[in-house]
Amino acid sequence: MSKLRFDVVQDAFKKRALEVVAPASLPSKYFGELVFNREMMRKYLDIKVYEALVDCIDNGTPLDLSIADEVADGMKEWALSHGVTHITHWFQPLTEVTAEKHDSLMEYDRKGGMIESFNGKALIQQEPDASSFPSGGLRATFEARGYTAWDPTSPVFIQDDTLCIPTIFISYTGEALDYKAPLKKALKAVSDAAVPICKLFNPRVKKVISYLGWEQEYFLVDEDLYAARPDLMLTGRTLMGHASSKNQQLDDHYFGAIPTRVAAFMRDLEFEGYKLGIPLKTRHNEVAPNQFEFAPIFGECNLSNDQNQMIMNTMNRVARKHGFVVLLHEKPFAGINGSGKHNNWSLGTDTGTLLMAPGKDAKSNLQFIIFFVNVLAAVQRHNALLKASIASATNAHRLGANEAPPAIVSAFLGQAMTEVLHKLLEVPSGTPIEIAGKKGASVGIVEIPQIFLDNTDRNRTSPFAFTGNRFEFRAVGSSSNCAGAMTVLNAAVAQQLIEFKAALDKELAAGKPLDVAAMDVLKPIIRSVIDKVCFDGNGYSEEWKKEAARRGLDTETRVPEMFKAFTKPESVELFTSLGIYNLKELQARNEVKWEMYTKKIQIEARVMGRMATNHIIPAALAYQTKLLNNVKLMKDVCPETYEAQAKVALDLVRNISSLVSEITTKVDEMVEARKAANVLENEYEKATAYYAIAERLEAIRRPIDKLEEIVDNDLWPLPKYRELLFIN
Ligand code: ADP
Ligand code: MG
């Protein structure tokens, strides 16, 4: 066994010298070549068909089947020119990984031969036998039917030999079984709610776009080392492992030079991403060793999220070519930073105004303040729900641990915007206000300082931070589908904007000018958000936990409990009033969340039990035997003095015995706890029982990590942290 580990480490180390081949031409030459984008639509579709499709994409106008047939024809022609032989509806079930079922384009041509065939019906709708996807009981297994339906707003793309059609996934009775369908509803809701407010400032506004710019963090490990760690292979994280003597304490990895082999992987990944039309912009080392990040230029939320899913699928394929495995788990290694996926989010009008950024004049700044304050109010009201939207068995390792995000959703504004809000409160009621622009063009009462956009005092401990022209929702997990968080955020903002507009209309009807009316409605909201959700201090501190509870923010740290926020009356009201989820869907989704939680911990518990029994204890006992042989030899050779001389060995023997028996007892207890949990029928109760089992895993880990410290390095059966984290 020791030989194996030695060989694996040697092989991994040698790969550092792998040759790097750069893509041949400039990205702009091949960007989007695997996407049926507008340029390709124009090329492959008749002008009338093209216009109908664009109208469908931009304005939601339904396509009739004859047009869909022509669209399919054009797509087929384009796809065949790329060597495509198969098609799939590509969807995002609640498993958190995308799903696809490939069908060949081949059909009999009725003349004794075969032909490639694809029509509008196959484009618009498919019926995968999807009975094995989680549905929380929405689709009883005897009713296996679930439909996938084309989402024309996200372009069709090619992966290998397959034409992928982004789709929503719904049950026979119309309930959403995926992430995309509710997201699209929330995006429409926020647009519908925001447009009437924007129209007060610019009557030409017809649509408000929700933007998403995600930052994807991940770890790379060498594939040989990965293969020698059953825990990484089966659970995505290390269930055991003593900290490396050096980890991230020197901060020498963050933004450091990217290791050659990693840079080659990144270039290759970007090459694949660009071909898929994903505008990858930033790449760098992250804080922890072997941790990296990339981010695209932000885009429309639904599309940007699809692109995130596409690139997550692509990452491991590309990584394997470079001898790496990508870890998207939120906490693959204890004791060093985990991985998140900051969701940079904002709203903007179809006339090109960014609503989360201060403008140049008083009018646009009033609009900015309206949106800014209402976002804060929405986050305040639904802070528990937002937290629930990012909670999972894997993200739990970040939540509430000493790293972003804390298990309390608050908002960070920075000094400049905090002052602006305070000043707005000081303006006497009824006074027309002017909010000076960035250039200080008008002599306003309240000024947004020019330095503000470059303001860098970012608080990394805040889960929801304002960063100049957007909010960053930092609590989202690296492995999750952003749609979960984005559905809740956009819905919460939509509801708040609707209520704000109703209140504003009353004031306007009373004859007040817009700025006075707006401030009269905003002031109590500003007062409330300053007192409650806004917090610029240290989100990790113990005082903040107490303070947050006093402020009425949700401080729940247990993941199975957090999910309950989805079915609280105020959440049900939010989602049903906007038509995003009905009560049945909300309940079903929680069932799925609890079930997924349970299964993940269940797998971890099994792996932990087997590794303890089959890897760790045998290694410890082998070392113990070695030590005892040593003692025995000493006794044979120098019987008078052996006792003093063998003290070190005997102490180690005793120490190993006690650690091994601690592990054995704790594993036995954990197995018993699992047996008791497994018979529970109720998904919530089961998840709660497994929450306690997750804590037991930590307790089993402690003696194992102590053994790692004392057992002969040659006998240790698993690649250690220092090898996993520093070989690239
Ligand atoms: P940082 O790590 O400093 O937060 P990055 O450059 O890594 O910044 O990522 C910032 C992300 O935010 C990018 O995806 C960027 O396109 C996106 N972004 C910038 N402005 C906006 C905006 N107004 N709305 C949404 N996303 C934005
Ligand atoms: Mg960021």
Side-chain angles (χ1 to χ4, degrees), residues 107-281:
E107 289 291 348
Y108 288 115
D109 69 355
R110 296 176 191 228
K111 293 178 206 145
M114 301 301 276
I115 189 176
E116 275 75 26
S117 149
F118 179 48
N119 59 25
K121 212 161 148 268
L123 168 66
I124 290 181
Q125 189 172 308
Q126 280 192 358
E127 199 183 315
D129 175 12
S131 51
S132 300
F133 290 110
S135 73
L138 275 180
R139 201 195 42 235
T141 29
F142 58 83
E143 175 51 274
R145 271 192 277 182
Y147 289 109
T148 50
W150 178 35
D151 167 19
T153 59
S154 185
V156 162
F157 61 95
I158 295 172
Q159 212 173 15
D160 295 332
D161 57 2
T162 303
L163 183 69
C164 301
I165 300 163
T167 53
I168 58 167
F169 179 39
I170 52 176
S171 76
Y172 184 57
T173 43
E175 281 101 1
L177 298 170
D178 70 347
Y179 281 104
K180 193 188 245 290
L183 176 65
K184 285 181 66 81
K185 289 178 184 168
L187 296 176
K188 179 162 188 324
V190 82
S191 177
D192 289 350
V195 165
I197 298 173
C198 295
K199 273 186 187 294
L200 298 170
F201 296 88
N202 178 355
R204 285 182 296 116
V205 172
K206 288 204 212 62
K207 193 165 140 183
V208 164
I209 302 131
S210 175
Y211 290 112
L212 167 65
W214 40 264
E215 300 166 49
Q216 179 73 55
E217 292 182 335
Y218 61 98
F219 280 86
L220 287 176
V221 289
D222 186 276
E223 64 181 353
D224 295 334
L225 300 177
Y226 172 86
R229 294 275 323 205
D231 47 358
L232 274 182
M233 284 187 63
L234 300 180
T235 73
R237 75 174 179 111
T238 54
L239 296 173
M240 55 193 69
H242 194 279
S244 167
S245 310
K246 172 183 188 281
N247 49 47
Q248 65 188 43
Q249 63 273 64
L250 298 178
D251 281 331
D252 51 355
H253 185 65
Y254 191 51
F255 281 15
I258 299 172
T260 316
R261 196 173 140 209
V262 176
F265 156 73
M266 287 176 169
R267 254 195 303 279
D268 230 1
L269 181 66
E270 284 168 348
F271 179 59
E272 297 299 326
Y274 292 149
K275 284 193 288 182
L276 289 168
I278 306 172
L280 298 175
K281 179 82 174 162

Side-chain angles (χ1 to χ4, degrees), residues 211 213 215 282 293 296-298 344 346 354 458 469-470 472:
Y211 290 112
E215 300 166 49
T282 314
E293 174 186 307
I297 299 171
F298 68 94
N344 293 266
S346 67
L354 271 185
R458 300 199 187 168
N469 62 354
R470 62 189 187 270
E472 273 189 54

Side-chain angles (χ1 to χ4, degrees), residues 388-620:
S389 78
I390 55 91
S392 68
T394 52
N395 207 16
H397 297 279
R398 290 169 75 230
L399 280 172
N402 238 4
E403 64 178 285
I408 300 162
V409 172
S410 62
F412 169 83
L413 307 187
Q415 198 190 348
M417 278 315 293
T418 305
E419 275 171 21
V420 168
L421 291 192
H422 279 285
K423 282 191 194 151
L424 285 170
L425 286 180
E426 287 162 18
V427 178
S429 192
T431 317
I433 71 142
E434 261 190 70
I435 310 166
K438 276 186 276 184
K439 304 216 160 49
S442 54
V443 188
I445 299 172
V446 178
E447 197 170 322
I448 296 181
Q450 196 174 348
I451 46 118
F452 161 69
L453 261 180
D454 321 310
N455 196 343
T456 49
D457 71 326
R458 300 199 187 168
N459 182 336
R460 303 312 279 191
T461 73
S462 177
F464 196 82
F466 182 63
T467 50
N469 62 354
R470 62 189 187 270
F471 284 93
E472 273 189 54
F473 191 21
R474 300 200 178 118
V476 184
S478 50
S479 72
S480 64
N481 186 314
C482 307
M486 288 295 103
T487 301
V488 171
L489 179 60
N490 285 293
V493 170
Q495 178 194 47
Q496 177 63 30
L497 292 174
I498 291 167
E499 291 181 11
F500 171 80
K501 179 65 168 54
L504 181 69
D505 284 346
K506 274 196 197 136
E507 302 295 327
L508 291 172
K512 293 183 190 172
L514 177 59
D515 55 352
V516 174
M519 281 317 296
D520 283 354
V521 182
L522 282 178
K523 268 190 191 168
I525 307 178
I526 294 177
R527 182 75 275 153
S528 164
V529 296
I530 286 178
D531 288 346
K532 274 194 180 170
V533 80
C534 296
F535 176 67
D536 281 9
N538 177 4
Y540 304 157
S541 68
E542 281 306 311
E543 302 85 77
W544 170 233
K545 287 181 194 156
K546 291 194 199 99
E547 166 70 8
R550 195 190 58 72
R551 291 182 182 197
L553 296 173
D554 185 273
T555 56
E556 181 59 64
T557 56
R558 294 161 299 173
V559 167
E561 291 301 315
M562 287 179 197
F563 295 146
K564 284 185 164 173
F566 274 99
T567 48
K568 281 195 311 194
E570 58 267 37
S571 307
V572 175
E573 161 68 20
L574 166 74
F575 291 124
T576 54
S577 69
L578 296 171
I580 294 171
Y581 296 117
N582 59 34
L583 178 61
K584 208 166 124 199
E585 285 172 301
L586 286 169
Q587 287 165 338
R589 273 168 190 259
N590 267 7
E591 296 285 301
V592 173
K593 281 172 192 281
W594 283 315
E595 195 186 325
M596 295 283 286
Y597 181 89
T598 295
K599 286 185 174 159
K600 290 214 168 144
I601 309 289
Q602 200 169 42
I603 293 170
E604 288 191 349
R606 284 188 189 139
V607 174
M608 176 60 111
R610 282 170 203 168
M611 284 177 77
T613 312
N614 303 338
H615 287 76
I616 305 305
I617 293 179

